[in-house]
Amino acid sequence: MVTLYKAKAKASLVGATLTLDIDSTDYEVNGLSRYKQKIAFVSGALPGEKVQARVLEDKPGFIKARTSKVLSPVVERQEPFCPHFNQCGGCQLQYLDNNQQARLKQQGVDQLIRHQTGLAVLPWQPMLSGPDTNYRRKARLGVWYDKKTRQLSVGFRAEGSKNISEISECSMLSPMLTPALTVLPPVIKALADPAAITHLEVFSANQRPYVVVRHVKPLTAAAQQEFIQSWPEAYFLGDEGNDSLQPWQADTPVPGYTLAAQQIDLQFQPGDFIQINEAVNQQMVTQALAWLEVNPDDTILDLYAGMGNFSLPLARYAKTVQGIEGVAKMVQQAATNAKLNGLNNASFAQADLHLPWPDAPWRGQHYTKIVLDPARAGAKGAIEQIAALKAAQILYVSCNAATFARDASVLLAKGYQLQKLAAIDMFPHTSHLELMALFSASVSASSKSAPAKK
């Protein structure tokens, strides 16, 4: 019998604590170092620091680790202001001033995009930003009841864990929503079966707080009243895990918000996607209109249109706007919002934009300008079809720099030029940085970004 040699598997570093010197940061503000022949991505570490970090992942070419102790801090490091910083998995850049956070985020994104696209210089415009606290108008709170210990936890996921980190305050939440952290837990704990509540969704709309109580077992009318009486200012809705929400108060209005600069009122349903930073969203919409220089002759295609956050402001100034959205109920909501605002030049249709586009009337139109605001996966599968429409301008709003860089490379290869680029600090104190980019099919030579020399 032949005995084959089999190399012994290398021991995994997962769980080990390494001492690392941090050289720089990536686009998510993870510290970068090297351990033997591997790149080390280290959360919670800054350039110039020496840290001890616990390894979370060990892959053939890289490791991921989390800082457990800072041995030599840089002067920019500060004490986090949130008492839950070490437990909550939310705002993990509080060890830096917000201006420094924004600088490092944009620096990392700049390097990523230039590396992926081959552009030597990016046409950065001023960053869009707002208040760095009390900016969230929507949040999801986890609820966990331990039947053995009879302990209830209401809060956010703990960092690197599925466990709920119980919190009593959150500096990122709108003050209108913060009572949810103190007045609702006692009500849940007093229920006959607290485990029936799986999570809470809170958001502000119409200058009032709303609470969606997600529960897997029916709640009695008396239990519903306990919730309402605990927070009389809030509107409550409940379900039993089937996404069919029922208001608990008869006078509950449809949620909505206003884009004041464009005089647009937008209604939405609980569970619909909305931009959680109201101040920055208004800036974002205003800048989109300014960059595109929308005029009465424009025919505009708005992809991933949602409930009309961009479509309807565009329709105020354009000849026509065609919105395309993948979720049927959002298409219906966008059409309702168009009617609500008296905009007869905006229409909406459903399509999965990542698949080959259907032979539909909207596809055969000529569009002068295109707007797209996809989810974190970007526009893979759609970007080639977008380029084939040969619009004069394409405005791309992105919530993921890596997928944006991938899609931007396609547009550049198809002859488009990157004319303007702006960072959008939608989520201060987190590693997320959103982007707005304007691509043009024909721009003056003076405004072109030069490709990198090879």
Side-chain angles (χ1 to χ4, degrees):
M1 182 176 179
V2 178
T3 301
L4 298 177
Y5 171 76
K6 186 177 181 180
K8 183 182 294 185
K10 293 184 178 180
S12 172
L13 291 170
V14 173
T17 297
L18 308 178
T19 299
L20 301 168
D21 293 308
I22 307 301
D23 302 317
S24 58
T25 53
D26 68 2
Y27 75 100
E28 293 183 319
V29 199
N30 292 304
L32 296 179
S33 183
R34 295 199 73 87
Y35 180 76
K36 296 183 179 179
Q37 302 301 316
K38 296 185 178 184
I39 298 174
F41 297 90
V42 188
S43 64
L46 294 170
E49 293 184 330
K50 182 187 288 289
V51 303
Q52 289 181 344
R54 185 173 182 271
V55 177
L56 305 177
E57 294 184 37
D58 183 7
K59 302 297 183 182
F62 67 91
I63 59 175
K64 289 186 177 182
R66 181 183 299 120
T67 299
S68 54
K69 185 176 182 180
V70 180
L71 301 176
S72 54
V74 293
V75 295
E76 292 83 2
R77 182 175 285 273
Q78 65 180 25
E79 280 297 315
F81 55 82
C82 177
H84 303 291
F85 175 78
N86 291 320
Q87 293 80 39
C88 180
C91 312
Q92 289 305 303
L93 295 184
Q94 289 183 29
Y95 51 84
L96 268 179
D97 171 82
N98 190 57
N99 291 330
Q100 293 287 345
Q101 295 175 27
R103 180 184 65 82
L104 286 179
K105 286 192 282 190
Q106 182 167 325
Q107 176 181 293
V109 167
D110 179 88
Q111 293 171 349
L112 172 70
I113 295 173
R114 287 190 294 107
H115 175 73
Q116 293 291 334
T117 63
L119 295 173
V121 179
L122 301 181
W124 286 108
Q125 309 298 306
M127 180 180 292
L128 300 184
S129 62
D132 67 333
T133 58
N134 304 127
Y135 63 83
R136 293 193 68 106
R137 61 175 168 181
K138 185 176 183 179
R140 173 172 168 151
L141 301 174
V143 178
W144 176 253
Y145 181 70
D146 190 317
K147 294 182 178 180
K148 291 183 178 179
T149 63
R150 296 185 179 181
Q151 293 296 312
L152 177 74
S153 297
V154 177
F156 299 115
R157 297 286 182 190
E159 185 180 9
S161 170
K162 294 182 179 180
N163 296 329
I164 301 299
S165 176
E166 185 175 358
I167 61 172
S168 57
E169 59 182 280
C170 177
S171 300
M172 304 304 118
L173 276 183
S174 162
M176 192 181 298
L177 301 178
T178 53
L181 301 171
T182 53
V183 302
L184 298 184
V187 179
I188 297 173
K189 194 169 184 179
L191 293 173
D193 183 8
I197 310 299
T198 59
H199 62 276
L200 306 169
E201 297 163 15
V202 294
F203 59 90
S204 59
N206 309 321
Q207 304 303 312
R208 292 281 294 271
Y210 285 69
V211 184
V212 176
V213 182
R214 298 287 185 177
H215 50 99
V216 295
K217 295 180 181 179
L219 296 179
T220 64
Q224 294 177 13
Q225 283 302 311
E226 289 294 328
F227 278 97
I228 294 169
Q229 291 171 12
S230 72
W231 195 3
E233 297 80 10
Y235 293 113
F236 286 83
L237 302 95
D239 80 335
E240 297 178 19
N242 57 7
D243 284 331
S244 177
L245 297 174
Q246 298 296 325
W248 291 353
Q249 295 117 302
D251 60 344
T252 302
V254 176
Y257 64 88
T258 299
L259 293 169
Q262 291 76 37
Q263 298 182 343
I264 295 290
D265 294 319
L266 294 169
Q267 293 182 345
F268 60 93
Q269 298 300 318
D272 286 353
F273 171 81
I274 63 170
Q275 298 287 358
I276 62 96
N277 191 320
E278 183 174 10
V280 173
N281 181 56
Q282 176 65 83
Q283 293 180 53
M284 188 169 64
V285 172
T286 299
Q287 180 167 277
L289 270 66
W291 281 14
L292 287 170
E293 298 179 340
V294 182
N295 64 71
D297 294 324
D298 277 325
T299 54
I300 300 177
L301 179 64
D302 181 18
L303 304 174
Y304 311 93
M307 62 183 185
N309 188 63
F310 285 104
S311 301
L312 301 185
L314 290 166
R316 278 274 189 243
Y317 307 97
K319 181 179 180 180
T320 62
V321 174
Q322 175 68 64
I324 307 298
E325 167 60 39
V327 181
K329 68 174 185 176
M330 297 291 278
V331 173
Q332 185 177 11
Q333 186 65 63
T336 298
N337 285 333
K339 186 176 181 180
L340 175 69
N341 288 276
L343 295 169
N344 299 320
N345 60 335
S347 56
F348 298 88
Q350 181 184 11
D352 186 339
L353 294 168
H354 301 287
L355 299 176
W357 290 358
D359 185 14
W362 62 265
R363 188 181 177 188
Q365 300 294 319
H366 171 69
Y367 300 101
T368 58
K369 295 165 184 177
I370 296 174
V371 176
L372 66 151
D373 182 13
R376 290 185 60 80
K380 187 175 182 180
I383 198 68
E384 293 86 356
Q385 300 177 89
I386 293 170
L389 294 176
K390 297 183 179 180
Q393 292 179 307
I394 297 174
L395 187 86
Y396 192 140
V397 181
S398 168
C399 59
N400 185 310
T403 56
F404 167 79
R406 178 200 67 205
D407 295 341
S409 297
V410 174
L411 292 178
L412 294 171
K414 297 292 185 180
Y416 280 89
Q417 298 290 330
L418 179 57
Q419 191 174 358
K420 292 182 179 181
L421 180 65
I424 305 171
D425 197 14
M426 186 74 72
F427 302 92
H429 305 296
T430 77
S431 62
H432 297 290
L433 190 69
E434 305 210 352
L435 299 169
M436 179 180 290
L438 181 65
F439 294 88
S440 178
S442 58
V443 296
S444 64
S446 61
S447 64
K448 291 181 181 179
S449 295
K453 295 181 179 179
K454 297 183 180 180

